[in-house]
Amino acid sequence: MRSIWKGVISFGLVSIPIRLYPATQERDVSFHQVRRSDGARVRYRRVAATDGEEVAYADIAKGYELPDGEMVVLTDDDFTNLPLTTSRSIDVLGFVPLEQVDPIYFAKSYYLEPDRTGLKPYVLLRDALAGSGRVALVKIALRQREQLATLRVRDGVFVLETMLWPDEVREPEFDVLDEQVDVRPQELAMASSLIDTLAADFDPTKFRDGYREALQAVIEAKIAGRDVVAPPSEQPGVDATGDLMTALRASIEAARTGRDGQSSGSARAAPAEADSARAGARKGQPSRSRKGKADTAADDVVSSRPTRRSA
Protein backbone atom coordinates (compact mmCIF):
# COMPACT_ATOMS: atom_id res chain seq x y z
CA MET A 1 0.00 0.00 0.00
CA ARG A 2 1.07 3.57 -0.61
CA SER A 3 0.47 6.18 2.07
CA ILE A 4 -1.65 9.17 1.09
CA TRP A 5 -0.91 11.45 4.07
CA LYS A 6 1.76 11.95 6.70
CA GLY A 7 1.33 13.70 10.03
CA VAL A 8 1.12 13.14 13.77
CA ILE A 9 -1.45 12.08 16.32
CA SER A 10 -1.57 14.94 18.81
CA PHE A 11 -2.51 13.45 22.19
CA GLY A 12 -2.00 15.98 24.97
CA LEU A 13 1.71 16.81 24.90
CA VAL A 14 2.52 13.59 23.03
CA SER A 15 3.00 13.58 19.24
CA ILE A 16 2.98 10.25 17.40
CA PRO A 17 4.25 10.41 13.78
CA ILE A 18 2.08 8.27 11.50
CA ARG A 19 1.29 7.52 7.86
CA LEU A 20 -2.26 7.24 6.54
CA TYR A 21 -3.40 4.44 4.21
CA PRO A 22 -6.84 3.71 2.69
CA ALA A 23 -8.28 0.74 4.58
CA THR A 24 -10.80 -0.28 1.93
CA GLN A 25 -11.00 -0.66 -1.83
CA GLU A 26 -14.00 -1.08 -4.09
CA ARG A 27 -13.89 -4.07 -6.41
CA ASP A 28 -16.37 -2.78 -8.92
CA VAL A 29 -15.78 -3.64 -12.60
CA SER A 30 -14.61 -0.51 -14.44
CA PHE A 31 -15.64 0.36 -17.99
CA HIS A 32 -14.68 2.90 -20.66
CA GLN A 33 -17.19 4.73 -22.80
CA VAL A 34 -16.75 3.53 -26.39
CA ARG A 35 -18.40 3.84 -29.78
CA ARG A 36 -20.88 0.99 -30.13
CA SER A 37 -19.96 0.16 -33.74
CA ASP A 38 -16.22 -0.48 -33.33
CA GLY A 39 -15.34 -0.04 -29.62
CA ALA A 40 -13.26 3.10 -30.18
CA ARG A 41 -12.64 5.07 -26.98
CA VAL A 42 -14.71 8.20 -26.51
CA ARG A 43 -12.60 11.15 -25.34
CA TYR A 44 -13.79 14.31 -23.64
CA ARG A 45 -12.29 17.76 -23.96
CA ARG A 46 -12.47 20.56 -21.43
CA VAL A 47 -13.88 23.56 -23.26
CA ALA A 48 -15.03 26.98 -22.11
CA ALA A 49 -18.78 27.51 -22.35
CA THR A 50 -18.42 31.06 -23.67
CA ASP A 51 -16.24 30.48 -26.75
CA GLY A 52 -15.83 26.70 -27.06
CA GLU A 53 -12.03 26.87 -26.79
CA GLU A 54 -10.22 23.96 -25.11
CA VAL A 55 -8.82 24.82 -21.66
CA ALA A 56 -5.53 23.38 -20.40
CA TYR A 57 -5.70 21.64 -17.03
CA ALA A 58 -3.20 24.12 -15.57
CA ASP A 59 -5.60 26.98 -16.40
CA ILE A 60 -8.56 25.48 -14.56
CA ALA A 61 -9.57 26.99 -11.22
CA LYS A 62 -12.53 26.51 -8.86
CA GLY A 63 -15.50 28.82 -9.26
CA TYR A 64 -18.34 29.60 -6.85
CA GLU A 65 -21.53 30.68 -8.61
CA LEU A 66 -23.61 33.43 -7.05
CA PRO A 67 -27.44 33.46 -7.21
CA ASP A 68 -27.33 36.10 -9.99
CA GLY A 69 -25.04 33.94 -12.16
CA GLU A 70 -21.83 35.81 -11.38
CA MET A 71 -18.80 33.56 -10.77
CA VAL A 72 -16.24 34.02 -7.98
CA VAL A 73 -12.92 32.44 -9.04
CA LEU A 74 -10.77 30.87 -6.29
CA THR A 75 -7.12 29.99 -6.84
CA ASP A 76 -4.88 27.48 -5.07
CA ASP A 77 -3.44 30.35 -3.00
CA ASP A 78 -6.90 31.15 -1.65
CA PHE A 79 -7.19 27.62 -0.26
CA THR A 80 -3.60 27.54 1.00
CA ASN A 81 -4.14 30.64 3.15
CA LEU A 82 -7.18 29.20 4.92
CA PRO A 83 -6.56 28.53 8.62
CA LEU A 84 -6.37 24.76 9.07
CA THR A 85 -4.96 24.06 12.52
CA THR A 86 -5.00 20.33 11.81
CA SER A 87 -3.11 20.56 8.51
CA ARG A 88 -0.56 17.95 9.59
CA SER A 89 -1.95 16.60 12.83
CA ILE A 90 -4.76 14.41 14.10
CA ASP A 91 -5.97 16.30 17.15
CA VAL A 92 -7.59 14.17 19.86
CA LEU A 93 -10.65 16.02 21.19
CA GLY A 94 -11.84 13.42 23.68
CA PHE A 95 -12.88 9.79 24.19
CA VAL A 96 -16.47 8.62 23.76
CA PRO A 97 -18.33 5.27 23.85
CA LEU A 98 -18.55 3.80 20.36
CA GLU A 99 -22.25 2.97 20.78
CA GLN A 100 -22.99 6.69 21.12
CA VAL A 101 -21.72 7.37 17.58
CA ASP A 102 -24.47 6.77 15.02
CA PRO A 103 -23.01 4.83 12.03
CA ILE A 104 -24.72 7.28 9.67
CA TYR A 105 -21.88 9.72 10.42
CA PHE A 106 -19.10 7.39 9.17
CA ALA A 107 -17.68 8.12 5.72
CA LYS A 108 -14.35 6.38 4.96
CA SER A 109 -11.81 4.20 6.80
CA TYR A 110 -8.01 4.56 6.95
CA TYR A 111 -5.19 2.63 8.61
CA LEU A 112 -2.55 4.49 10.60
CA GLU A 113 1.02 3.16 10.53
CA PRO A 114 3.54 4.56 13.03
CA ASP A 115 7.04 5.71 12.17
CA ARG A 116 9.69 3.75 14.05
CA THR A 117 10.46 6.83 16.14
CA GLY A 118 6.84 6.87 17.34
CA LEU A 119 6.33 3.14 17.82
CA LYS A 120 6.30 3.14 21.64
CA PRO A 121 3.75 5.96 22.12
CA TYR A 122 1.67 4.42 19.31
CA VAL A 123 1.53 1.06 21.10
CA LEU A 124 0.91 2.79 24.43
CA LEU A 125 -2.08 4.78 23.15
CA ARG A 126 -3.36 1.76 21.19
CA ASP A 127 -3.37 -0.56 24.18
CA ALA A 128 -4.85 2.07 26.49
CA LEU A 129 -7.61 2.87 24.00
CA ALA A 130 -8.39 -0.80 23.37
CA GLY A 131 -8.74 -1.39 27.10
CA SER A 132 -10.95 1.64 27.67
CA GLY A 133 -13.89 0.45 25.59
CA ARG A 134 -14.03 3.88 23.95
CA VAL A 135 -12.96 5.53 20.71
CA ALA A 136 -11.02 8.75 20.30
CA LEU A 137 -12.91 11.66 18.77
CA VAL A 138 -10.45 13.58 16.56
CA LYS A 139 -10.18 16.26 13.89
CA ILE A 140 -8.07 15.92 10.74
CA ALA A 141 -7.59 17.94 7.55
CA LEU A 142 -7.64 15.82 4.37
CA ARG A 143 -7.69 17.25 0.85
CA GLN A 144 -7.97 20.83 2.12
CA ARG A 145 -11.02 20.00 4.21
CA GLU A 146 -11.20 19.63 7.96
CA GLN A 147 -13.15 16.58 9.07
CA LEU A 148 -14.41 15.05 12.26
CA ALA A 149 -13.28 11.45 12.77
CA THR A 150 -12.99 8.61 15.25
CA LEU A 151 -9.89 6.62 16.11
CA ARG A 152 -10.31 3.00 17.17
CA VAL A 153 -8.27 -0.19 17.30
CA ARG A 154 -8.77 -3.09 14.88
CA ASP A 155 -6.43 -6.10 14.78
CA GLY A 156 -3.75 -4.15 16.63
CA VAL A 157 -3.83 -1.19 14.20
CA PHE A 158 -5.35 2.25 14.58
CA VAL A 159 -8.29 2.80 12.22
CA LEU A 160 -9.38 6.35 11.43
CA GLU A 161 -13.05 6.70 10.45
CA THR A 162 -13.76 10.06 8.84
CA MET A 163 -17.21 11.42 9.65
CA LEU A 164 -19.81 13.78 8.30
CA TRP A 165 -20.55 17.00 10.13
CA PRO A 166 -23.95 17.10 11.87
CA ASP A 167 -25.42 19.56 9.33
CA GLU A 168 -24.51 17.13 6.51
CA VAL A 169 -26.93 14.46 7.78
CA ARG A 170 -30.42 14.97 6.42
CA GLU A 171 -33.48 14.78 8.63
CA PRO A 172 -36.00 12.12 7.56
CA GLU A 173 -39.27 13.80 6.64
CA PHE A 174 -41.80 11.13 5.65
CA ASP A 175 -45.38 12.13 6.40
CA VAL A 176 -46.64 8.60 5.78
CA LEU A 177 -44.92 7.45 9.00
CA ASP A 178 -47.08 9.87 10.99
CA GLU A 179 -50.20 7.89 10.13
CA GLN A 180 -51.73 5.64 12.79
CA VAL A 181 -50.98 1.96 12.09
CA ASP A 182 -52.59 -0.85 14.09
CA VAL A 183 -50.21 -3.79 14.59
CA ARG A 184 -51.79 -6.89 16.12
CA PRO A 185 -49.92 -8.74 18.89
CA GLN A 186 -49.90 -11.90 16.74
CA GLU A 187 -48.19 -10.05 13.90
CA LEU A 188 -45.60 -8.56 16.25
CA ALA A 189 -44.93 -11.98 17.80
CA MET A 190 -44.54 -13.55 14.36
CA ALA A 191 -42.12 -10.85 13.24
CA SER A 192 -40.11 -11.34 16.45
CA SER A 193 -40.01 -15.09 15.77
CA LEU A 194 -38.65 -14.42 12.29
CA ILE A 195 -35.90 -12.25 13.78
CA ASP A 196 -35.02 -14.99 16.28
CA THR A 197 -34.96 -17.58 13.51
CA LEU A 198 -32.52 -15.51 11.45
CA ALA A 199 -30.41 -14.40 14.45
CA ALA A 200 -26.69 -15.09 13.93
CA ASP A 201 -23.24 -13.70 14.62
CA PHE A 202 -21.88 -11.38 11.93
CA ASP A 203 -19.47 -13.16 9.59
CA PRO A 204 -18.69 -11.03 6.50
CA THR A 205 -16.93 -13.94 4.76
CA LYS A 206 -20.33 -15.59 4.24
CA PHE A 207 -21.44 -12.88 1.80
CA ARG A 208 -20.34 -12.16 -1.76
CA ASP A 209 -21.09 -9.74 -4.57
CA GLY A 210 -23.22 -11.93 -6.82
CA TYR A 211 -23.81 -9.15 -9.36
CA ARG A 212 -20.08 -8.50 -9.83
CA GLU A 213 -19.37 -12.22 -10.20
CA ALA A 214 -22.11 -12.58 -12.82
CA LEU A 215 -20.84 -9.49 -14.65
CA GLN A 216 -17.29 -10.87 -14.65
CA ALA A 217 -18.62 -14.16 -16.06
CA VAL A 218 -20.33 -12.23 -18.87
CA ILE A 219 -17.05 -10.45 -19.69
CA GLU A 220 -15.08 -13.72 -19.65
CA ALA A 221 -17.67 -15.33 -21.92
CA LYS A 222 -17.35 -12.40 -24.33
CA ILE A 223 -13.56 -12.76 -24.34
CA ALA A 224 -13.78 -16.50 -25.05
CA GLY A 225 -16.43 -16.00 -27.73
CA ARG A 226 -19.00 -18.11 -25.89
CA ASP A 227 -22.71 -17.51 -25.57
CA VAL A 228 -23.69 -15.53 -22.51
CA VAL A 229 -25.83 -17.61 -20.16
CA ALA A 230 -28.17 -15.70 -17.87
CA PRO A 231 -27.95 -16.72 -14.20
CA PRO A 232 -31.04 -18.37 -12.71
CA SER A 233 -33.50 -15.94 -11.23
CA GLU A 234 -34.57 -16.13 -7.62
CA GLN A 235 -37.97 -17.45 -6.67
CA PRO A 236 -40.54 -14.69 -6.14
CA GLY A 237 -41.44 -14.08 -2.52
CA VAL A 238 -44.81 -13.74 -0.88
CA ASP A 239 -46.46 -10.35 -1.28
CA ALA A 240 -46.51 -8.94 2.27
CA THR A 241 -49.02 -6.28 1.30
CA GLY A 242 -51.69 -8.94 0.69
CA ASP A 243 -51.59 -11.01 3.88
CA LEU A 244 -48.93 -10.02 6.39
CA MET A 245 -49.34 -13.10 8.59
CA THR A 246 -49.05 -15.43 5.58
CA ALA A 247 -45.89 -13.64 4.44
CA LEU A 248 -44.32 -13.83 7.91
CA ARG A 249 -45.25 -17.50 8.30
CA ALA A 250 -43.75 -18.34 4.89
CA SER A 251 -40.63 -16.35 5.74
CA ILE A 252 -40.12 -18.31 8.98
CA GLU A 253 -40.57 -21.64 7.20
CA ALA A 254 -38.10 -20.57 4.48
CA ALA A 255 -35.60 -19.40 7.10
CA ARG A 256 -35.87 -22.71 8.98
CA THR A 257 -35.41 -24.69 5.79
CA GLY A 258 -32.39 -22.68 4.73
CA ARG A 259 -30.83 -22.85 8.19
CA ASP A 260 -31.37 -26.60 8.56
CA GLY A 261 -29.96 -27.16 5.09
CA GLN A 262 -26.82 -25.21 5.93
CA SER A 263 -26.27 -26.91 9.28
CA SER A 264 -26.66 -30.46 7.94
CA GLY A 265 -25.04 -29.92 4.55
CA SER A 266 -26.83 -30.77 1.29
CA ALA A 267 -26.06 -34.10 -0.37
CA ARG A 268 -26.42 -32.44 -3.74
CA ALA A 269 -23.90 -29.70 -2.97
CA ALA A 270 -20.30 -29.84 -4.12
CA PRO A 271 -17.78 -30.78 -1.39
CA ALA A 272 -16.34 -27.27 -1.20
CA GLU A 273 -19.81 -25.75 -0.96
CA ALA A 274 -20.80 -28.20 1.75
CA ASP A 275 -17.69 -27.42 3.77
CA SER A 276 -18.38 -23.70 3.40
CA ALA A 277 -21.98 -24.17 4.50
CA ARG A 278 -20.95 -26.19 7.54
CA ALA A 279 -18.34 -23.59 8.47
CA GLY A 280 -20.97 -20.86 8.14
CA ALA A 281 -23.31 -22.85 10.37
CA ARG A 282 -20.66 -23.24 13.05
CA LYS A 283 -19.79 -19.53 13.00
CA GLY A 284 -23.04 -17.73 12.27
CA GLN A 285 -26.05 -19.89 13.15
CA PRO A 286 -27.97 -19.56 16.43
CA SER A 287 -27.36 -22.07 19.21
CA ARG A 288 -29.66 -25.08 19.61
CA SER A 289 -31.35 -23.55 22.63
CA ARG A 290 -32.05 -20.28 20.79
CA LYS A 291 -33.29 -22.24 17.75
CA GLY A 292 -35.72 -24.21 19.88
CA LYS A 293 -36.99 -21.06 21.55
CA ALA A 294 -37.61 -19.34 18.21
CA ASP A 295 -39.31 -22.41 16.74
CA THR A 296 -41.57 -22.78 19.79
CA ALA A 297 -42.59 -19.11 19.69
CA ALA A 298 -43.39 -19.34 15.99
CA ASP A 299 -45.42 -22.53 16.50
CA ASP A 300 -47.38 -20.93 19.33
CA VAL A 301 -48.28 -17.93 17.19
CA VAL A 302 -49.24 -20.08 14.21
CA SER A 303 -51.36 -22.44 16.30
CA SER A 304 -53.23 -19.50 17.85
CA ARG A 305 -54.90 -18.84 14.50
CA PRO A 306 -57.45 -21.11 12.78
CA THR A 307 -55.38 -21.23 9.60
CA ARG A 308 -53.87 -24.67 8.93
CA ARG A 309 -50.06 -24.66 9.03
CA SER A 310 -48.15 -26.64 6.43
CA ALA A 311 -46.02 -29.51 7.70
Side-chain angles (χ1 to χ4, degrees):
M1 292 188 293
R2 178 179 297 179
S3 65
I4 62 171
W5 188 87
K6 292 178 64 176
V8 298
I9 301 175
S10 181
F11 174 49
L13 299 178
V14 178
S15 295
I16 308 171
I18 52 91
R19 294 183 179 88
L20 195 74
Y21 299 85
T24 60
Q25 59 179 346
E26 294 187 3
R27 297 218 177 254
D28 196 10
V29 180
S30 60
F31 295 97
H32 295 295
Q33 288 190 325
V34 299
R35 187 164 53 194
R36 188 184 300 274
S37 60
D38 59 0
R41 288 281 302 275
V42 175
R43 303 288 186 183
Y44 290 92
R45 296 187 307 154
R46 295 177 294 270
V47 298
T50 54
D51 52 21
E53 291 188 4
E54 188 169 359
V55 181
Y57 185 79
D59 295 332
I60 295 179
K62 291 182 174 64
Y64 181 83
E65 187 173 3
L66 300 177
D68 60 1
E70 290 286 332
M71 194 72 66
V72 177
V73 179
L74 301 175
T75 65
D76 292 340
D77 291 338
D78 294 323
F79 291 97
T80 302
N81 294 330
L82 289 177
L84 282 178
T85 57
T86 56
S87 59
R88 281 297 165 189
S89 68
I90 301 173
D91 292 341
V92 177
L93 306 177
F95 299 91
V96 299
L98 178 59
E99 59 270 17
Q100 291 184 2
V101 184
D102 192 323
I104 198 172
Y105 287 105
F106 292 136
K108 193 171 178 60
S109 304
Y110 299 90
Y111 289 133
L112 301 185
E113 178 196 30
D115 281 351
R116 289 195 175 274
T117 57
L119 180 58
K120 183 175 181 178
Y122 181 99
V123 172
L124 176 63
L125 179 57
R126 179 199 67 187
D127 293 349
L129 185 59
S132 70
R134 295 174 177 263
V135 296
L137 190 64
V138 303
K139 281 205 303 185
I140 181 175
L142 289 175
R143 300 180 180 89
Q144 296 180 327
R145 183 173 186 264
E146 195 168 57
Q147 293 179 267
L148 201 62
T150 59
L151 201 61
R152 62 184 179 90
V153 180
R154 180 180 186 271
D155 295 335
V157 179
F158 273 132
V159 176
L160 182 84
E161 305 272 3
T162 57
M163 301 170 61
L164 302 172
W165 293 103
D167 60 357
E168 294 177 316
V169 178
R170 294 175 174 176
E171 291 292 333
E173 298 177 354
F174 307 116
D175 295 338
V176 65
L177 293 179
D178 295 332
E179 299 178 7
Q180 182 67 32
V181 178
D182 294 327
V183 177
R184 293 183 297 166
Q186 296 93 334
E187 294 171 336
L188 184 60
M190 184 71 78
S192 299
S193 296
L194 177 58
I195 293 175
D196 289 338
T197 303
L198 293 175
D201 295 325
F202 178 60
D203 180 8
T205 61
K206 294 170 56 178
F207 306 97
R208 58 186 179 87
D209 188 347
Y211 177 84
R212 176 166 56 88
E213 292 177 358
L215 179 59
Q216 193 65 48
V218 170
I219 294 173
E220 292 173 358
K222 288 273 190 178
I223 294 173
R226 302 191 305 270
D227 292 334
V228 177
V229 179
S233 59
E234 296 183 359
Q235 295 295 327
V238 180
D239 184 7
T241 60
D243 187 343
L244 187 57
M245 288 293 290
T246 300
L248 289 171
R249 185 181 298 108
S251 299
I252 292 177
E253 295 297 334
R256 289 176 182 171
T257 302
R259 181 185 59 194
D260 294 341
Q262 286 181 357
S263 60
S264 61
S266 174
R268 296 185 297 271
E273 294 174 343
D275 291 342
S276 175
R278 284 192 293 269
R282 287 193 299 268
K283 290 182 179 180
Q285 298 301 328
S287 63
R288 289 182 179 272
S289 61
R290 183 166 56 185
K291 173 180 180 295
K293 180 180 178 182
D295 292 349
T296 302
D299 292 340
D300 291 343
V301 174
V302 173
S303 62
S304 67
R305 292 179 55 82
T307 307
R308 189 179 68 178
R309 181 168 59 89
S310 60

